[in-house]
């Protein structure tokens, strides 16, 4: 058995970087001059929406944001939280289905296309 120091965290550096990039996109959309200009120009306001919908949201989804954010908690708290969430019916089955992400992406594209 591997010691605690050598165990690999299930979230790689790429996913952590993607999570941080998503936070950066949100910061750019909501805390930059784009936000100040969005009060005057509707087109810039819609640019904010596109940044949040088409950039930040998929980046969060790809990064497995929930796992990245769990790193902020101590191990004991992560275990308690993990057991509590796993007790919710259907969570374990949904977590193991990779196809659900593709179904969600297809539903998103269809909704945006229809809208």
């Amino acid at each position: 058995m591997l010691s605690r120091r050598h165990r690999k965290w299930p979230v790689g550096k790429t996913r952590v970087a993607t999570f941080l990039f998503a936070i950066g996109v949100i910061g750019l959309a909501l805390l930059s001059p784009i936000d100040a200009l969005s009060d005057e120009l509707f087109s810039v306001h819609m640019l904010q929406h596109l940044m949040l919908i088409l950039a930040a949201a998929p980046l969060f989804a790809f990064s497995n944001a929930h796992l990245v954010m769990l790193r902020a908690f101590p191990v004991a708290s992560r275990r308690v939280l993990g057991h509590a969430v796993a007790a919710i019916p259907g969570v374990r089955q949904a977590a193991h289905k990779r196809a659900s992400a593709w179904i969600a992406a297809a539903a998103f594209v269809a909704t945006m296309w229809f809208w």
Side-chain angles (χ1 to χ4, degrees):
M1 182 169 172
L2 295 173
S3 68
R4 285 188 185 255
R5 285 185 301 156
H6 293 86
R7 286 187 187 167
K8 187 172 181 177
W9 181 257
V11 179
K13 292 178 183 177
T14 303
R15 294 197 189 264
V16 173
T18 305
F19 176 80
L20 294 174
F21 191 65
I23 295 291
V25 169
I26 289 175
L28 182 66
L30 301 177
L31 300 174
S32 70
I34 292 173
D35 187 46
L37 195 56
S38 71
D39 291 337
E40 298 177 24
L41 295 174
F42 183 69
S43 60
V44 177
H45 177 76
M46 295 314 296
L47 174 67
Q48 277 185 311
H49 284 275
L50 291 174
M51 289 173 73
L52 296 172
I53 292 170
L54 297 177
L59 288 170
F60 274 132
F62 175 76
S63 71
N64 284 341
H66 62 289
L67 294 177
V68 176
M69 288 186 288
L70 276 176
R71 299 233 24 200
F73 295 103
V75 175
S77 298
R78 288 192 297 236
R79 286 188 182 137
V80 169
L81 187 61
H83 289 300
V85 170
I88 299 171
V91 169
R92 286 181 187 240
Q93 293 82 8
H96 293 291
K97 292 185 180 177
R98 298 247 186 242
S100 61
W102 290 105
I103 293 169
F108 170 75
V109 169
T111 303
M112 292 302 288
W113 179 281
F114 178 75
W115 178 66

